[in-house]
Amino acid sequence: MKTHVQVAVIGGGVVGASVLYHLTKAGWKDVVLLERDELTSGSTWHAAGGMHTFNGDPNVAKLQEYTIKLYQEIEEASGQSCSIHITAGVDLAGTPERMDFLKLACARARYLGLDMEIISIDEAARLFPLLDRRHFVGALYNPLEGHVDPAGVTQAYAKAARNAGAEVHRFTRVTALNARPDGSWDVITDKGNIVAEHVVNAAGLWAREVGRMAGLTLPVLAMEHQYLVTGEIPEVVASPTEMLHVIDFEGEIYMRQEGRGMLIGTYEKAGVPWAERETPWNFSHELLSPDLDRIAASLEVGFRHFPALECAGIKRVVNGPFTFSPDGNPLVGPIRGLRNYWVACAVMAGFSQGGGVGLALSNWMVHGDPGFDVWAMDVARFGNWATTAYTNAKVRENYSRRFRIRFPNEELPAARPLRTTPAYDRLKARGAVFGASYGLEHALWFAPAGTEAREDVTYHRSNAHAPVAAECHAVRNAVGLLEIATFSRYEVTGDGAAAWLDRLLANRLPREGRLTLSPMLNENGRLIGDFTIANGGENRFVVFGSGIAEQYHLRWFEAHLPPSGVAIHSLRSEWIGFAIAGPRSRELLSRICRDDVGHEALSFLSFRPAEVAMLPAHIGRISFTGELGYEIWVASDGQLALYDAILAAGADLGLVHYGARALNSLRLEKSFGNWAREYRPIYTPVEAGIDRFVAWDKPDFIGRDAALRDRARRPMRRLVTFVVDADDADAIGDEPVWHDGKVVGWVTSGGYGHCVGKSIALGYVPAALANASEGFEIEILGERRRAAVQAQALYDPKGERMRLSQE
Ligand SMILES: Cc1cc2nc3c(=O)[nH]c(=O)nc-3n(C[C@H](O)[C@H](O)[C@H](O)COP(=O)(O)OP(=O)(O)OC[C@H]3O[C@@H](n4cnc5c(N)ncnc54)[C@H](O)[C@@H]3O)c2cc1C
């Protein structure tokens, strides 16, 4: 075994083997894989090997497509068969709601270039004769589904990597990891030690333990999972072609052909976690005791829906553990604060996702960027609030809901409330309906007095529609109050603060006492942040951004900090705030602030310390609503005093509470983009239409050269605003945009603009079409709706309202 390598991949399951293969493919040959037993000794060996392109996140769906299409390549590169069976698949709907869910999935697939199709139940029965059509209303047909041999795939990755120069050491267990001062790692194994410039935790069932070796608590947990293989089924034997892969959502079962019978798996509602605290090191190529009682209810539905199964008998039952993250997507990428430690774990569908995970991680390691949009599986989407107990509750919930419908307005209840602000109970008493964002409870909307604070889950406009409309109108016409705890805020201090931020951010820094908006770019000139920067004077800046990206941004900030002269820290638990917005917000502020808050003293984009409600505070004159508005920040222990003061001062001004739903409607009317929707690392500032916030003449900032090159050539696409001819269902995001009968783009977010009375969508289209106002359609719930591009924002396009000098 070598004593020094560029990369040590820990774990020889399908994921570690894929990472190894992709590293060699990207040109890194000095790489080893360390496996404590035989390859596939975790969850890989007993997997059912099923694969499909279905995923709630379109970017992960695309990676799944990549994975499936890769198998032929690794067979050729290795000479090892993967036993590829592309059978196609049907996903069966038993209710109209499920049909809506499938239509949405089908529409999303369209803009990704995935070739899915909604089919009738008669057609589904023709393709899969075992089903009893009385139980179904329709189906989604997916030509890219099937199954592979799990061991064959893992061996193929490993052999192909070995052919390219990698080493694979079986029966070599990593027992400890010690960080070295230069950022490399001492990898301690039971067969000797290696110094590795990088380590990859691809330890699957032991990812937690290998995380702990570096002091990490990774949000990952294994669940028991059962499938059974039936005896011979005459219809299967008689079929001239292999049976399709099938998902029956109502029965919560999946199926495929196995030999002369069928393999049936289920995600039971009361799923059972495995090895909740510690995965035993002596677990290898073992199965857990089957417990058919747990899956009996699903099987009964299965027997009703597919009568031929009932007489087939059970040949074999498999119960094995595999791992999940709290939201079910993989955990991939570098870890904040740990140099050269990478993760590729919590991959719950290794045969659909393993290839894409390997590609993304190897790109990230070799080129510094995953190369495509991996936000949905970036390990940084969880902060340290995602504890072991949180993970346990969320993983159970996620497992039990694997085949359930997730409605776009649905907030899942497990592990809540977890993080709350001091005002939580007060807001609740006002009728707040809460959502959780990055673990934090925040008000989505407020149920009017006398009505239940609960939202119906639906694909259509919900019972929140009218109350949200009232909130929006109050903001536009009087004044509204919004808790802004979900915004992230970071304090940057030190002699070098200004110079550092200037290089980090694409815009020029504001003068003292001012705010400015700035994108942050990566080296490729792509958007990795959109911030509001406040200059507090005396080498002190506050950077405000999206709360869900806190870990993601801190990872970037900290990785780019100079050795001295700059300090950055999150003010999340120190500062808390409220926004007040609307034409009467200045009047309200003047009642609770002793300082002059007139237009001259506190002009648009001012930021300054002030005394508000007897508290030391900071006021920023800015609002995401597009109205005159202020963000007021105080120490957390002053939040209730500030809240009470705002309520008392606003009572006769028509003050209302508003929540995230109203804010979304108001910002859509203004065509304001949002992080993780309009702004993501696949877009450039020119494409996203925020190039006016880039100081192109600044001599140096990260991503400048690439962004300049992008600006010089015609951008590929543009963000535009549409008005959609919608009925009672608005676009929500990820719908395809059609033009002249072809899918040309996608929606990033949508909703109803209550104050302009129109259904609005923001989305990307090819740049050549961005000025064509006609000919567009947006597909909502299976129907193509006419959509017209707007030349400017629908509400106050000149931005006069937010600059209001007087009421
Ligand atoms: C019953 C069942 C059915 C399934 N069906 C499907 C399916 O149809 N389709 C699908 O896509 N997925 C399926 N899965 C899930 C699939 O098995 C996993 O997604 C996949 O195996 C994850 O692979 P991995 O490489 O991340 O982890 P693992 O397979 O757990 O591999 C981790 C490896 O790391 C090694 N290791 C750990 N710690 C160390 C250490 N310290 N030193 C050295 N080596 C170490 C282990 O020995 C192990 O070999 C199924 C799972 C189960 C249990």
Side-chain angles (χ1 to χ4, degrees):
M1 196 160 71
K2 291 179 181 173
T3 54
H4 189 288
V5 295
Q6 198 173 3
V7 185
V9 177
I10 305 167
V14 64
V15 174
S18 165
V19 170
L20 191 76
Y21 170 71
H22 282 92
L23 283 171
T24 58
K25 201 174 163 192
W28 281 15
K29 312 284 185 190
D30 184 16
V31 292
V32 296
L33 185 145
L34 304 172
E35 165 55 51
R36 64 184 184 107
D37 202 302
E38 288 288 3
L39 295 180
T40 78
S41 290
S43 45
T44 297
W45 73 275
H46 53 243
M51 55 189 188
H52 54 85
T53 53
F54 201 88
N55 191 286
D57 183 276
N59 298 292
V60 179
K62 195 76 190 154
L63 281 182
Q64 297 187 180
E65 180 198 29
Y66 167 81
T67 303
I68 297 169
K69 291 186 169 168
L70 185 69
Y71 290 129
Q72 210 170 339
E73 174 184 312
I74 59 169
E75 275 193 346
E76 282 162 19
S78 65
Q80 160 78 47
S81 166
C82 299
S83 192
I84 308 168
H85 293 245
I86 305 284
T87 57
V90 282
D91 300 340
L92 299 164
T95 64
E97 289 76 28
R98 176 63 69 182
M99 253 348 265
D100 283 347
F101 173 86
L102 293 181
K103 284 176 191 163
L104 206 86
C106 183
R108 282 181 178 172
R110 253 194 256 287
Y111 86 69
L112 296 169
L114 300 172
D115 194 17
M116 297 187 194
E117 209 186 315
I118 294 292
I119 56 172
S120 69
I121 201 58
D122 288 342
E123 180 63 5
R126 193 185 63 74
L127 292 166
F128 189 71
L130 300 190
L131 68 83
D132 179 343
R133 71 189 77 192
R134 286 174 307 173
H135 302 291
F136 301 102
V137 296
L140 176 68
Y141 174 76
N142 183 354
L144 201 57
E145 283 191 35
H147 58 99
V148 278
D149 167 32
V153 165
T154 312
Q155 297 291 353
Y157 278 130
K159 278 188 190 161
R162 256 197 243 111
N163 291 346
E167 288 185 4
V168 174
H169 298 284
R170 293 171 305 134
F171 301 99
T172 306
R173 179 178 146 198
V174 174
T175 54
L177 292 170
N178 300 321
R180 295 163 64 92
D182 65 353
S184 61
W185 291 85
D186 279 323
V187 181
I188 315 297
T189 83
D190 55 3
K191 298 280 166 61
N193 302 344
I194 308 177
V195 176
E197 288 167 38
H198 300 263
V199 291
V200 177
N201 176 352
L205 289 175
W206 294 264
R208 258 178 333 186
E209 284 67 23
V210 174
R212 285 179 196 141
M213 291 178 191
L216 279 177
T217 302
L218 287 170
V220 52
L221 176 71
M223 297 290 291
E224 292 191 13
H225 182 70
Q226 303 189 75
Y227 66 78
L228 55 87
V229 179
T230 71
E232 192 170 298
I233 299 175
E235 289 87 338
V236 173
V237 177
S239 174
T241 52
E242 188 171 356
M243 288 281 151
L244 268 63
H245 194 273
V246 168
I247 296 177
D248 170 9
F249 292 98
E250 266 49 59
E252 307 198 310
I253 52 182
Y254 63 86
M255 250 184 294
R256 69 163 172 84
Q257 184 170 339
E258 173 78 14
R260 298 161 75 86
M262 296 295 287
L263 180 155
I264 310 166
T266 177
Y267 287 79
E268 65 266 31
K269 290 190 180 75
V272 176
W274 180 74
E276 287 176 81
R277 288 171 191 275
E278 181 96 40
T279 307
W281 287 107
N282 60 359
F283 185 83
S284 286
H285 282 92
E286 279 169 61
L287 290 174
L288 310 172
S289 311
D291 184 351
L292 283 181
D293 285 349
R294 275 199 337 245
I295 60 171
S298 284
L299 290 180
E300 271 167 33
V301 179
F303 294 156
R304 265 204 318 279
H305 290 184
F306 312 95
L309 297 179
E310 194 166 7
C311 316
I314 296 173
K315 213 163 91 180
R316 183 158 58 96
V317 183
V318 170
N319 182 8
F322 67 118
T323 54
F324 294 79
S325 74
D327 63 9
N329 273 332
L331 299 173
V332 180
I335 297 283
R336 174 186 163 207
L338 278 188
R339 281 168 73 193
N340 302 330
Y341 184 103
W342 305 81
V343 295
C345 57
V347 182
M348 59 87 46
F351 301 94
S352 298
Q353 299 173 336
V357 165
L359 174 68
L361 191 76
S362 61
N363 278 340
W364 218 331
M365 295 175 71
V366 175
H367 307 299
D369 188 283
F372 38 89
D373 195 329
V374 295
W375 173 253
M377 55 185 202
D378 190 330
V379 61
R381 69 192 184 280
F382 297 103
N384 61 4
W385 46 269
T387 57
T388 316
Y390 168 88
T391 303
N392 194 303
K394 275 299 184 198
V395 168
R396 285 169 186 245
E397 177 182 64
N398 184 54
Y399 187 92
S400 73
R401 296 181 48 93
R402 174 91 177 103
F403 287 146
R404 299 254 201 105
I405 300 176
R406 172 85 192 256
F407 291 94
N409 65 339
E410 187 169 11
E411 293 285 333
L412 301 181
R416 293 181 56 203
L418 179 69
R419 303 171 57 225
T420 57
T421 64
Y424 174 77
D425 287 333
R426 302 279 184 93
L427 299 177
K428 194 168 183 182
R430 288 262 167 184
V433 177
F434 289 95
S437 171
Y438 200 63
L440 180 72
E441 295 295 317
H442 68 125
L444 298 172
W445 59 281
F446 291 82
T451 64
E452 196 187 349
R454 198 184 60 79
E455 185 164 355
D456 303 333
V457 291
T458 172
Y459 283 104
H460 300 259
R461 292 179 189 151
S462 76
N463 57 323
H465 193 72
V468 170
E471 291 173 22
C472 291
H473 285 292
V475 172
R476 294 264 185 254
N477 299 313
V479 55
L481 166 69
L482 171 82
E483 193 190 44
I484 48 177
T486 53
F487 297 6
S488 63
R489 49 252 177 222
Y490 315 96
E491 187 178 52
V492 184
T493 51
D495 294 345
W500 179 68
L501 278 174
D502 196 48
R503 186 168 144 60
L504 202 74
L505 302 171
N507 205 350
R508 231 176 288 289
L509 295 180
R511 294 193 315 276
E512 183 172 338
R514 303 288 300 164
L515 295 165
T516 201
L517 306 183
S518 177
M520 182 165 77
L521 309 181
N522 62 15
E523 298 289 357
N524 299 329
R526 308 270 152 175
L527 288 170
I528 54 168
D530 64 317
F531 297 112
T532 304
I533 323 296
N535 185 341
E538 296 178 356
N539 295 323
R540 182 167 159 267
F541 295 84
V542 184
V543 177
F544 299 95
S546 165
I548 55 169
E550 187 181 80
Q551 191 81 351
Y552 174 84
H553 284 142
L554 282 170
R555 182 175 67 192
W556 183 266
F557 294 152
E558 290 171 1
H560 289 81
L561 272 182
S564 64
V566 187
I568 182 157
H569 89 280
S570 170
L571 294 171
R572 178 177 270 277
S573 51
E574 289 157 52
W575 278 27
I576 205 151
F578 284 105
I580 52 171
R584 309 190 86 175
S585 55
R586 182 181 290 129
E587 168 72 22
L588 195 164
L589 184 62
S590 73
R591 295 179 181 182
I592 55 174
C593 179
R594 284 170 162 254
D595 302 2
D596 181 0
V597 297
H599 179 66
E600 298 300 320
L602 197 61
S603 57
F604 182 54
L605 297 181
S606 292
F607 175 79
R608 68 151 197 248
E611 224 180 76
V612 183
M614 293 192 285
L615 297 160
H618 282 85
I619 305 176
R621 188 176 150 194
I622 192 165
S623 175
F624 202 42
T625 61
E627 292 298 329
L628 171 69
Y630 306 86
E631 289 174 1
I632 309 167
W633 297 95
V634 294
S636 301
D637 57 7
Q639 193 199 19
L640 291 183
L642 175 64
Y643 178 69
D644 289 340
I646 295 174
L647 285 196
D652 63 340
L653 297 175
L655 178 73
V656 295
H657 288 69
Y658 68 105
R661 293 271 153 74
L663 187 63
N664 192 46
S665 167
L666 297 166
R667 66 108 189 164
L668 287 173
E669 292 178 343
K670 287 288 298 171
S671 297
F672 287 161
N674 233 351
W675 174 255
R677 304 300 324 176
E678 286 70 39
Y679 309 144
R680 295 176 73 123
I682 46 173
Y683 306 123
T684 69
V686 176
E687 290 171 349
I690 51 173
D691 41 326
R692 65 188 182 285
F693 299 118
V694 175
W696 295 104
D697 54 349
K698 227 170 57 160
D700 186 27
F701 60 87
I702 296 174
R704 178 177 179 272
D705 294 346
L708 276 170
R709 279 197 301 277
D710 175 71
R711 191 173 66 144
R713 56 176 182 253
R714 223 173 133 75
M716 269 171 54
R717 52 196 165 210
R718 291 261 188 200
L719 180 65
V720 295
T721 302
F722 293 99
V723 164
V724 191
D725 229 347
D727 260 352
D728 75 331
D730 302 299
I732 50 173
D734 296 324
E735 292 83 0
V737 176
W738 296 73
H739 188 264
D740 284 348
K742 281 207 291 281
V743 174
V744 295
W746 57 89
V747 172
T748 47
S749 44
Y752 192 73
H754 291 280
C755 298
V756 298
K758 294 187 163 81
S759 184
I760 304 171
L762 303 186
Y764 281 89
V765 296
L769 288 175
N771 296 322
S773 64
E774 292 303 315
F776 288 101
E777 289 167 313
I778 290 178
E779 186 172 337
I780 301 177
L781 297 181
E783 273 185 55
R784 278 152 62 174
R785 301 280 178 169
R786 219 166 58 82
V789 171
Q790 307 300 298
Q792 54 184 21
L794 287 151
Y795 180 79
D796 185 27
K798 294 208 176 103
E800 287 161 355
R801 306 276 303 176
M802 48 192 191
R803 291 181 177 79
L804 262 190
S805 57
Q806 59 197 78
E807 214 310 48

